[in-house]
Amino acid sequence: MTLASAGSTWEQLRTTACACTRCALAGTRTQVVFGVGDPHAALLFVGEAPGRDEDLAGEPFVGRSGKLLDRLMFEEIGIDRSRCYIANVVKCRPPQNRNPAPDEIEACRPYLEAQISHINPAVVVTLGNFATRLLLESSEGIRQLRGSVYPFRAGHLVPTYHPAYVLRAGGEALAEMRADLVRAKRLMAL
Ligand code: URA
């Protein structure tokens, strides 16, 4: 399936995604969490998958991780979530917040690919291992991959930690995530 090349509009893409039954998560979700923000933004954040709060709200990163993401985005980049776009690798909540399975990531991949094509961001910030490995097509871990900027489509990709990890790890991880967001901000100004 190539949703972007099929010429679908953003609203068609959202409608298709919101009715999706391509994987088993369709049977357990409350709703599809398509994404939030400005689909014309220069900055795209990509997380992992909705959790319980997001499944209920229909919006990515509304729980504790999201509060941290909002705070760091404001403090280091100077924007709120209406001025970027936030999406996930997988659009439906995996039960018990387990990791998304490879077949679920593959089934959902065309939606993320199409979102990226529509948004055409100057900078993509990947949050954690799943988004980073998928978009960089790498099997390295986030600790190895973060700290650098990677060419990505017409722009750049900046990998950083998932905010849930930073909430647990604190200290150095928090400082490193801040530094990654500063890196993203500088790239947007280019
Ligand atoms: N974690 C994610 O990766 N995405 C969300 O939307 C919420 C928590």
Side-chain angles (χ1 to χ4, degrees), residues 33 46-51 54 59-63 65-66 86-88 127 162 164:
V33 180
V46 182
E48 183 181 317
E54 292 76 20
E59 179 171 332
F61 285 102
V62 293
S65 296
I86 308 176
N88 283 309
L127 302 165
H162 193 285

Side-chain angles (χ1 to χ4, degrees), residues 21-166:
T21 55
R22 285 168 57 86
C23 82
L25 297 181
T28 53
R29 73 183 178 222
T30 303
Q31 59 193 312
V32 172
V33 180
F34 181 70
V36 70
D38 176 4
H40 304 290
L43 175 62
L44 168 66
F45 287 95
V46 182
E48 183 181 317
R52 187 176 63 96
D53 294 332
E54 292 76 20
D55 175 67
L56 293 173
E59 179 171 332
F61 285 102
V62 293
R64 282 186 70 225
S65 296
K67 301 281 176 275
L68 178 62
L69 180 62
D70 283 344
R71 180 157 71 84
L72 296 183
M73 189 192 303
F74 182 73
E75 290 177 1
E76 303 303 338
I77 308 182
I79 60 168
D80 65 24
R81 59 173 57 204
S82 72
R83 294 186 50 207
C84 62
Y85 200 83
I86 308 176
N88 283 309
V89 166
V90 165
K91 312 294 188 222
C92 299
R93 181 193 183 199
Q96 280 80 49
N97 295 349
R98 63 160 170 76
N99 289 337
D103 64 309
E104 292 158 358
I105 293 172
E106 252 339 283
C108 218
R109 187 178 185 145
Y111 297 116
L112 179 62
E113 296 284 349
Q115 285 176 311
I116 296 170
S117 296
H118 276 280
I119 298 168
N120 193 23
V123 182
V124 177
V125 175
T126 49
L127 302 165
N129 272 319
F130 284 91
T132 306
R133 286 180 175 151
L134 182 72
L135 295 186
L136 288 183
E137 297 181 347
S138 170
S139 54
E140 295 281 336
I142 188 64
R143 283 171 196 276
Q144 283 70 46
L145 293 169
R146 71 148 294 281
S148 301
V149 174
Y150 301 82
F152 182 75
R153 303 215 183 168
H156 297 95
L157 188 148
V158 178
T160 194
Y161 297 124
H162 193 285
Y165 168 74
V166 174

Side-chain angles (χ1 to χ4, degrees), residues 146-149 158 178-187:
R146 71 148 294 281
S148 301
V149 174
V158 178
R178 285 187 186 278
D180 294 334
L181 297 186
V182 170
R183 217 169 259 125
K185 182 181 185 174
R186 291 206 184 107
L187 287 165

